[in-house]
Structures are given as C-alpha cells and as structure tokens.
Amino acid sequence: MKTQMMVALTVFLISASVFSITGRDNWETIKSSTEVQIQQPTFAGVFGPKGLFNACFTDEEFKSKTPVTNCLSYRQVVVDSPTGPHKDYICSELESRNVTISRTYTQEECVKHDRSGECLEYDSVTSVYPTSFYLVVIEPGGGQSGNFIFSKPYTISACD
C-alpha cells in the first residue's frame, strides 16, 4: 500500500511539473516558452510568425506593428541527402513590408434551416473581426492539433 501511494505521488509530481507555463502567466512568458505553442486564428498568419502579437487595430483594419518578410520567388536546387539527391526550393527574393487587412470579411452562412436543422438557404454575410480572442495554448506534437493545456484571452492593442 505504501509503495502504491509513493508511486502515485511521484507520478502526480512529475505530471504536475511537465508544464511550468499556466494560464496565470503573462503573454510574454508564454510566448517565450519553448514547451508550448499558441494557436491563433488563421488570418493571423499574415502578420508573420508572431501573428496577432504583431498586430494592432483601427476601426477599419488590422496593421502589422513591424514589417513582415515574405518570399516573392523561389529557385530550384538539388540537395544531397542520405537517400540520394532530390529537388528542393529556396527563397531567392524577399520582401519586407507592413501588412494591413480589413477587419470586415464576407462568408457564406446558412440563413434558413428546416425543422431537422438542415440548411435551406445560404447567403453572404459580412462580419467584423473582433479585437479580443481566446487563444489556445497546446503541447506540441500531441496529434494533429497538439494536446490542449489551457486557453487565455488576448486583446489586440489599438494602433497609435
């Protein structure tokens, strides 16, 4: 019995210390951690690797706080590997610029359902992206989307 309790306590202490990052930590601490990843809305990718953390907002648009570097063209190269040479592509021309996107977007949504819940009518609906999001923090490598650890609110700052 004593051995079982010691094993259970050891497992608990190991699992409790696997992630030192919690939802109580500030975003700077969470972003700098190498043990977690932050999932952001798809559109956040236009602001570079930092996503929403590199964005500010006005009434009409989101803007990048710092320039975002994008590859404009690629060139093909042959790379030697243990399995033999293969073709790959590397960036041959970079562009660094500030990015803006509209806060409004249009998407097709169901506007009329039948009694069973099946959609009867679709229409284009215009919406405005919010400035506050719940971002999900995950353990990387835990399946296709990682293992959920916690979610935490993040509010994009207003542009100066």
Side-chain angles (χ1 to χ4, degrees), residues 65-107:
K65 294 178 187 176
T66 61
V68 176
T69 302
N70 290 307
C71 186
L72 296 178
S73 62
Y74 294 87
R75 68 181 170 90
Q76 190 175 20
V77 295
V78 176
V79 178
D80 287 324
S81 71
T83 59
H86 67 275
K87 294 178 184 176
D88 202 352
Y89 294 88
I90 61 169
C91 186
S92 59
E93 183 181 6
L94 291 172
E95 171 190 59
S96 190
R97 65 181 178 89
N98 286 312
V99 176
T100 60
I101 62 168
S102 176
R103 284 196 50 213
T104 59
Y105 62 97
T106 303
Q107 65 185 21

Side-chain angles (χ1 to χ4, degrees), residues 134-149:
Y134 268 89
L135 302 182
V136 173
V137 177
I138 63 167
E139 168 193 12
Q144 198 170 27
S145 59
N147 292 323
F148 176 86
I149 301 172

Side-chain angles (χ1 to χ4, degrees), residues 2-157:
K2 227 178 200 184
T3 305
Q4 289 175 334
M5 287 184 63
M6 289 300 287
V7 169
L9 180 61
T10 302
V11 169
F12 172 75
L13 290 174
I14 289 171
S15 64
S17 65
V18 168
F19 296 106
S20 58
I21 299 296
T22 71
R24 291 183 300 276
D25 290 310
N26 64 39
W27 278 112
E28 289 306 314
T29 301
I30 298 167
K31 289 186 309 184
S32 66
S33 172
T34 57
E35 58 189 34
V36 298
Q37 291 177 343
I38 303 166
Q39 292 183 328
Q40 298 189 36
T42 305
F43 79 90
V46 301
F47 299 110
K50 294 181 181 178
L52 296 180
F53 299 108
N54 185 37
C56 64
F57 75 92
T58 67
D59 288 341
E60 295 84 30
E61 60 192 6
F62 290 114
K63 298 179 178 183
S64 59
K65 294 178 187 176
T66 61
V68 176
T69 302
N70 290 307
C71 186
L72 296 178
S73 62
Y74 294 87
R75 68 181 170 90
Q76 190 175 20
V77 295
V78 176
V79 178
D80 287 324
S81 71
T83 59
H86 67 275
K87 294 178 184 176
D88 202 352
Y89 294 88
I90 61 169
C91 186
S92 59
E93 183 181 6
L94 291 172
E95 171 190 59
S96 190
R97 65 181 178 89
N98 286 312
V99 176
T100 60
I101 62 168
S102 176
R103 284 196 50 213
T104 59
Y105 62 97
T106 303
Q107 65 185 21
E108 292 291 311
E109 289 185 10
C110 185
V111 292
K112 186 176 182 182
H113 296 87
D114 66 12
R115 290 180 189 234
S116 69
E118 187 173 334
C119 187
L120 298 174
E121 184 180 337
Y122 288 90
D123 197 6
S124 292
V125 177
T126 301
S127 302
V128 177
Y129 285 117
T131 57
S132 293
F133 298 86
Y134 268 89
L135 302 182
V136 173
V137 177
I138 63 167
E139 168 193 12
Q144 198 170 27
S145 59
N147 292 323
F148 176 86
I149 301 172
F150 61 87
S151 63
K152 181 177 175 79
Y154 176 73
T155 301
I156 299 171
S157 60

